[in-house]
């Protein structure tokens, strides 16, 4: 039963806790937390379905925060639910605390996503809604939960909101409900100084239901949430007109609300008075981190009700499992994050194929053998060759999520953030694709995937200047260096935060895909060629067996006892080095090893003994890369030499660029000879 007194007390308690956290830390954002408290209280006590004893229950409703700076709002709300202790709140933003300055994914405490960079949080929520629709199409009635989002003026302004709003409306994601905390204030100005758009009309144009309410009126919040939950065709945006710093007062007791300075600094550093504001919020200034007695009692009953409601749903799922034993096994497989047994060695690869085509063959195999993959492309499926998957599946559509391909349109950042949300939801493996040069648009979401340790797969094609005629805007030069930097950054689990794989031929692409699929702890980038690449000859029982050594990050594709020099590369440059080695052996009598180093991160994780078996210590090493020389600097050593590009590309056919830039076997062999001469290798071998 509605109780205005307890609802107001609870909202004020959230406000008091939030500002106390910021005040003690002397850092944070109190004003927005004060404005959003009413909505959060009503949502969590009356609408959000979850099991407080099993916060990671797969069938729960989910809440995705976009405005990570409102972490104090979340921690305060979850403290009332028992997920955080008083000590946790008191250690807000401190070393080693579970209450960092911006929320980091912690499902067992109720944090569904890491947020901070504005705009990405609600896009992840949309990804979770897509995952839920996808799963409900396969397990009807089990995944009909709701995904709630919370966004602020800044998130609405971020460009990603365009892509996220368009896609959610186009797909009719009626399971996504977003509260827009519209308080007309942002960090350094009032919103009317930066925008005059009609947000409601914008979202309506994208196909959303839009409801505008007083965000502090609890009955209007309920009516909006009731209407949103009843909606069958559209996502819903609830525009809650709120007041920044709701409840703040000055030292003389006068109200001080809606001011810009309340956004991003402690209340005590503003014209408001911290102690008087606590008193106005019914808090005890001597014990600002206390839960009010009536609120504690109320939330105790709420938790009992949540558990009982979840138990009813759990009982129904048990009955469903009894009636659907085969589907039940499939459900468990999906939710485990594991894949069925796969044999990528059985994928038939064409001779001398582009690695994007080799990837297409693998994707076609996955379309027939893995039922819980969603592949997405940013309007390039016929070029990045994800159409290999699409041809054996179908496009996700409004009211029909039986397919498994998301046509994201030209929205690389949105697509990549959505993939993060799909991964966070669980039960579905997300794959996203575009041209490698456009990974620049994806980097913010790739970075959040790395921080959150999400197993998203990136298919990044057209991997070098050999894109050719499209010219420098489409020719990646520095992108590989950027991607491989994330291999060098450790995540909070102490592992490399991303796996970057640039395979040397079609078969190695199959192996790279195998590695990507088995990597369930971090994102994986598959960096693939547009042009055909000569197959690397087998040295063992089969080329596939040879290529499985790529699991160690690098291996010798050509081995000669007592070699004069080791040549290293990844991707298409490996075959160039093999051709150069043939010239040098035939014409100069040299003995040469050639290594494919598909991932420096993986390679450096191997034993020193193994690393030196591939790249001998204190021996001559020559590297070739179509990108910046820094790509190989960590491998060649102090005395090594690298040929790469240190300039943007030009518009011309790929073969012409190879010639102009010196990326052919004859020129590379000359560079190697000069390097050997400079290092006083026996000259008789070098004179023909």
């Amino acid at each position: 039963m509605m109780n205005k007194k307890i609802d107001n007390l609870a909202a004020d308690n959230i406000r008091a806790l939030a500002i106390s956290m910021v005040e003690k830390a002397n850092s944070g954002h109190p004003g927005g937390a004060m404005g959003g408290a009413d909505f959060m209280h009503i949502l969590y006590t009356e609408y959000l379905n979850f099991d407080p004893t099993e916060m990671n229950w797969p069938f729960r409703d989910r809440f995705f925060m976009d405005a990570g700076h409102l972490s104090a709002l979340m921690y305060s709300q979850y403290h009332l639910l028992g997920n955080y202790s008083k000590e946790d709140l008191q250690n807000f933003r401190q070393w080693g605390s579970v209450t960092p300055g911006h929320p980091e994914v912690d499902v067992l405490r109720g944090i569904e996503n890491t947020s901070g960079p504005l705009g990405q949080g609600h896009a992840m929520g949309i990804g979770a809604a897509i995952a839920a629709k996808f799963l409900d199409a396969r397990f009807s009635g089990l995944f009909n939960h709701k995904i709630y989002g919370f966004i602020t003026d800044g998130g609405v302004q971020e460009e990603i909101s365009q892509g996220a709003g368009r896609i959610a409306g186009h797909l009719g994601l009626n399971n996504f409900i977003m509260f827009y905390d519209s308080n007309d204030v942002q960090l350094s100005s009032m919103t009317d100084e930066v925008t005059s758009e009609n947000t409601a009309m914008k979202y309506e144009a994208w196909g959303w239901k839009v409801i505008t309410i007083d965000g502090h009126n609890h009955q209007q919040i309920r009516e909006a949430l009731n209407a949103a939950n009843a909606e069958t065709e559209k996502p819903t945006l609830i525009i809650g007109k709120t007041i920044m710093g709701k409840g703040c007062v000055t030292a003389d007791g006068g109200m001080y609300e809606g001011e810009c300075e309340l956004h991003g600094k402690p209340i005590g550093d503003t014209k408001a008075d911290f102690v008087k504001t606590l008193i106005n919020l019914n808090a005890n200034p001597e014990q600002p981190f206390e839960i009010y007695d009536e609120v504690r009692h109320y939330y105790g009953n709420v938790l009992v009700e949540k558990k009982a409601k979840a138990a009813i749903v759990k009982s129904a799922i048990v009955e469903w499992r009894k009636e659907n034993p085969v589907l039940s096994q499939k459900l468990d497989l999906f939710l485990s994050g594991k894949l069925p047994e796969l044999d990528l060695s059985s994928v038939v690869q064409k001779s001398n194929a582009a690695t994007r085509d080799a990837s297409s063959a693998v994707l076609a195999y996955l379309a027939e053998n893995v039922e819980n993959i969603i592949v997405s492309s940013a309007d390039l499926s016929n070029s990045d060759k994800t159409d290999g998957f699409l041809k054996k599946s179908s496009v996700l559509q409004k009211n029909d999520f039986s397919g498994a391909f998301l046509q994201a349109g030209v929205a690389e950042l949105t697509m990549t953030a959505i993939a993060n949300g799909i991964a966070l939801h669980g039960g579905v493996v997300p794959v996203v694709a575009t041209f490698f040069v456009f990974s620049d648009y994806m980097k913010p979401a790739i970075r959040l995937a790395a921080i959150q340790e999400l197993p998203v797969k990136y298919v990044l094609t057209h991997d070098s200047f050999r894109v050719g005629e499209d010219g420098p805007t489409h020719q990646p030069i520095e992108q590989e260096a950027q991607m491989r930097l994330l291999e060098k950054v450790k995540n909070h689990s102490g592992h490399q935060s991303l796996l970057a794989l640039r395979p040397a031929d079609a078969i190695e692409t199959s192996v790279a895909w195998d590695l990507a699929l088995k990597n369930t702890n971090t994102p994986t980038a598959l960096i693939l060629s547009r042009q055909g690449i000569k197959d690397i000859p087998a040295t063992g029982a089969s080329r596939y067996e040879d290529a499985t050594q790529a699991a160690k990050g690098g291996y010798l594709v050509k081995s000669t006892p007592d070699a004069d020099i080791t040549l290293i590369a990844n991707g298409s440059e490996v075959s160039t080095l093999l051709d150069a080695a043939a010239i040098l052996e035939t014409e100069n009598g040299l003995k040469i090893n050639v290594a494919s180093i598909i991932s420096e991160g993986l390679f450096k994780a191997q034993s020193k003994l193994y690393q030196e078996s591939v790249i001998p210590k204190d021996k001559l090493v020559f590297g070739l890369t179509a990108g910046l020389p820094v790509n190989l600097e960590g491998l060649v050593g102090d005395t090594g030499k690298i040929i790469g590009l240190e300039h943007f590309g030009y518009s011309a056919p790929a073969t012409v660029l190879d010639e102009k830039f010196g990326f052919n076997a004859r020129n590379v062999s000359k560079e190697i000879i000069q390097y050997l001469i400079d290092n006083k290798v026996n000259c008789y071998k070098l004179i023909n």
Side-chain angles (χ1 to χ4, degrees):
M1 182 177 294
M2 288 181 290
N3 184 324
K4 290 183 179 180
K5 179 183 177 183
I6 195 63
D7 288 334
N8 288 327
L9 267 180
D12 280 347
N13 203 165
I14 292 170
R15 293 183 179 100
L17 290 169
I19 66 171
S20 298
M21 293 169 67
V22 173
E23 202 74 18
K24 186 173 188 301
N26 195 30
S27 173
H29 302 76
M34 301 177 81
D38 296 287
F39 177 80
M40 288 289 278
H41 164 68
I42 298 298
L43 174 68
Y44 268 86
T45 56
E46 299 180 28
Y47 290 88
L48 200 79
N49 295 314
F50 62 97
D51 183 351
T53 66
E54 187 185 1
M55 292 298 292
N56 59 350
W57 181 41
F59 307 98
R60 68 190 181 278
D61 289 345
R62 289 158 171 81
F63 175 83
F64 278 75
M65 174 58 81
D66 192 279
H69 60 279
L70 298 187
S71 58
L73 170 62
M74 300 182 74
Y75 303 144
S76 299
Q77 176 66 74
Y78 297 159
H79 177 48
L80 299 187
L81 295 167
N83 294 358
Y84 289 90
S85 68
K86 179 168 70 173
E87 291 71 28
D88 292 334
L89 269 59
Q90 290 171 328
N91 286 320
F92 177 54
R93 289 181 166 236
Q94 304 308 302
W95 173 262
S97 76
V98 295
T99 48
H102 288 79
E104 298 172 22
V105 60
D106 187 350
V107 172
L108 294 181
R109 289 188 174 87
I111 309 293
E112 296 285 355
N113 65 294
T114 296
S115 57
L118 293 179
Q120 290 194 55
H122 82 292
M124 285 187 267
I126 288 167
I130 290 171
K133 286 281 190 182
F134 176 92
L135 291 167
D136 201 54
R138 288 147 181 82
F139 308 98
S140 183
L142 294 190
F143 291 91
N144 56 3
H145 53 268
K146 298 294 185 181
I147 311 297
Y148 294 92
F150 189 112
I151 198 167
T152 56
D153 292 296
V156 168
Q157 288 167 28
E158 277 287 357
E159 292 89 340
I160 192 174
S161 68
Q162 153 78 29
R166 170 180 56 79
I167 290 172
H170 178 69
L171 292 176
L173 298 179
N174 67 301
N175 59 339
F176 186 67
I177 300 167
M178 183 162 69
F179 180 74
Y180 167 26
D181 184 50
S182 177
N183 56 36
D184 300 324
V185 181
Q186 48 201 90
L187 182 62
S188 65
S189 71
M190 305 301 287
T191 57
D192 62 8
E193 295 179 47
V194 302
T195 183
S196 55
E197 72 178 12
N198 187 316
T199 302
M201 290 179 66
K202 180 173 70 172
Y203 276 85
E204 286 170 350
W206 287 330
W208 290 56
K209 174 197 284 288
V210 178
I211 305 168
T212 301
I213 63 170
D214 175 350
H216 301 301
N217 185 308
H218 297 169
Q219 187 55 29
Q220 288 187 29
I221 292 171
R222 291 185 181 96
E223 290 171 358
L225 285 169
N226 288 340
N229 275 275
E231 174 59 45
T232 60
E233 296 292 325
K234 300 177 179 181
T236 298
L237 179 71
I238 300 171
I239 301 177
K241 301 303 294 183
T242 61
I243 299 172
M244 172 69 70
K246 173 71 172 174
C248 281
V249 296
T250 60
D252 61 8
M255 298 306 298
Y256 187 76
E257 301 174 324
E259 300 295 333
C260 186
E261 68 168 343
L262 297 172
H263 184 290
K265 56 184 178 180
I267 296 300
D269 291 346
T270 72
K271 294 182 184 69
D273 185 88
F274 174 64
V275 171
K276 289 295 179 64
T277 297
L278 284 176
I279 294 171
N280 186 53
L281 296 172
N282 299 291
N284 179 356
E286 299 298 318
Q287 295 180 310
F289 288 94
E290 291 301 310
I291 300 176
Y292 309 163
D293 289 340
E294 292 173 80
V295 173
R296 186 187 303 278
H297 177 74
Y298 178 76
Y299 267 82
N301 290 334
V302 166
L303 293 174
V304 171
E305 292 171 4
K306 297 289 184 185
K307 183 179 177 181
K309 191 171 182 179
I312 295 171
V313 178
K314 288 182 175 183
S315 178
I317 292 173
V318 168
E319 290 303 312
W320 177 89
R321 285 184 178 276
K322 290 177 182 177
E323 296 169 5
N324 301 275
V326 176
L327 275 178
S328 182
Q329 285 187 331
K330 183 184 293 186
L331 174 63
D332 288 338
L333 178 64
F334 284 14
L335 295 178
S336 73
K338 299 176 182 177
L339 295 178
E341 288 295 321
L342 302 172
D343 179 15
L344 296 192
S345 69
S346 67
V347 176
V348 177
Q349 296 289 9
K350 294 179 180 178
S351 299
N352 305 319
T355 52
R356 64 167 174 164
D357 291 321
S359 173
S360 184
V362 174
L363 284 167
Y365 172 87
L366 295 177
E368 294 181 325
N369 290 277
V370 182
E371 296 182 63
N372 62 326
I373 286 182
I374 292 178
V375 176
S376 184
S377 178
D379 194 40
L380 289 169
S381 56
N382 55 338
S383 292
D384 57 36
K385 298 302 179 181
T386 49
D387 60 357
F389 186 95
L390 176 56
K391 290 171 183 175
K392 299 194 175 185
S393 182
S394 59
V395 175
L396 299 176
Q397 301 177 61
K398 182 177 181 179
N399 297 322
D400 182 5
F401 282 74
S402 60
F405 198 95
L406 173 61
Q407 289 285 23
V410 186
E412 293 87 354
L413 174 57
T414 302
M415 172 184 70
T416 312
I418 282 174
N420 289 346
I422 292 171
L424 286 166
H425 181 279
V428 186
V429 179
V431 177
V432 296
T434 187
F435 290 175
F436 193 22
V437 76
F438 299 144
S439 66
D440 283 347
Y441 286 127
M442 302 164 67
K443 295 286 170 35
I446 292 175
R447 187 172 188 271
L448 279 191
I451 289 174
Q452 295 176 98
E453 304 179 21
L454 302 177
V456 183
K457 323 302 177 191
Y458 309 115
V459 175
L460 304 169
T461 68
H462 297 59
D463 69 348
S464 74
F465 64 82
R466 297 180 185 92
V467 172
E469 292 88 342
D470 279 338
T473 61
H474 282 54
Q475 294 172 17
I477 304 298
E478 74 281 15
Q479 279 73 18
E480 184 179 351
Q482 295 171 356
M483 198 64 67
R484 293 200 182 280
L485 280 176
L486 282 173
E487 282 200 314
K488 300 177 187 295
V489 178
K490 293 288 196 299
N491 58 32
H492 286 172
S493 295
H495 304 129
Q496 64 185 76
S497 65
L498 177 138
L499 176 61
L501 303 171
R502 187 168 179 246
D505 68 356
I507 296 299
E508 199 171 287
T509 303
S510 292
V511 172
W513 257 112
D514 189 56
L515 295 174
L517 293 167
K518 289 175 179 174
N519 180 24
T520 58
N521 299 313
T522 66
T524 303
L526 294 155
I527 304 169
L528 308 170
S529 75
R530 176 201 186 198
Q531 81 286 357
I533 299 175
K534 287 175 63 175
D535 291 334
I536 294 173
T539 59
S542 70
R543 172 64 188 131
Y544 191 91
E545 184 177 303
D546 292 347
T548 58
Q549 297 175 85
K552 295 181 178 180
Y555 64 105
L556 292 173
V557 296
K558 181 184 182 305
S559 180
T560 306
D562 195 28
D564 295 301
I565 187 171
T566 299
L567 313 181
I568 68 170
N570 58 52
S572 53
E573 289 83 78
V574 175
S575 63
T576 304
L577 289 181
L578 284 169
D579 289 344
I583 293 171
L584 294 169
E585 289 180 332
T586 301
E587 298 182 4
N588 302 96
L590 290 163
K591 292 187 291 183
I592 296 177
N593 284 348
V594 180
S596 171
I597 311 295
I598 192 171
S599 163
E600 180 183 352
L602 270 182
F603 185 68
K604 290 291 184 69
Q606 307 307 312
S607 68
K608 289 291 185 183
L609 185 65
Y610 179 77
Q611 291 181 51
E612 291 177 14
S613 73
V614 178
I615 305 176
K617 188 177 182 181
D618 301 324
K619 297 284 187 177
L620 297 181
V621 181
F622 177 93
L624 181 68
T625 174
L628 291 170
V630 71
N631 290 336
L632 301 176
E633 281 182 3
L635 296 166
V636 301
D638 294 337
T639 59
K641 180 178 178 63
I642 303 168
I643 298 297
L645 282 186
E646 294 182 303
H647 57 77
F648 292 120
Y650 294 88
S651 177
T655 53
V656 173
L657 294 176
D658 269 328
E659 183 70 27
K660 295 293 185 182
F661 296 161
F663 279 77
N664 55 58
R666 177 58 65 182
N667 186 71
V668 169
S669 66
K670 290 178 181 177
E671 294 281 358
I672 294 168
I673 287 173
Q674 186 59 55
Y675 170 57
L676 291 168
I677 291 173
D678 292 343
N679 283 273
K680 299 181 174 57
V681 173
N682 293 334
C683 291
Y684 74 87
K685 289 185 175 183
L686 307 176
I687 300 171
N688 186 348

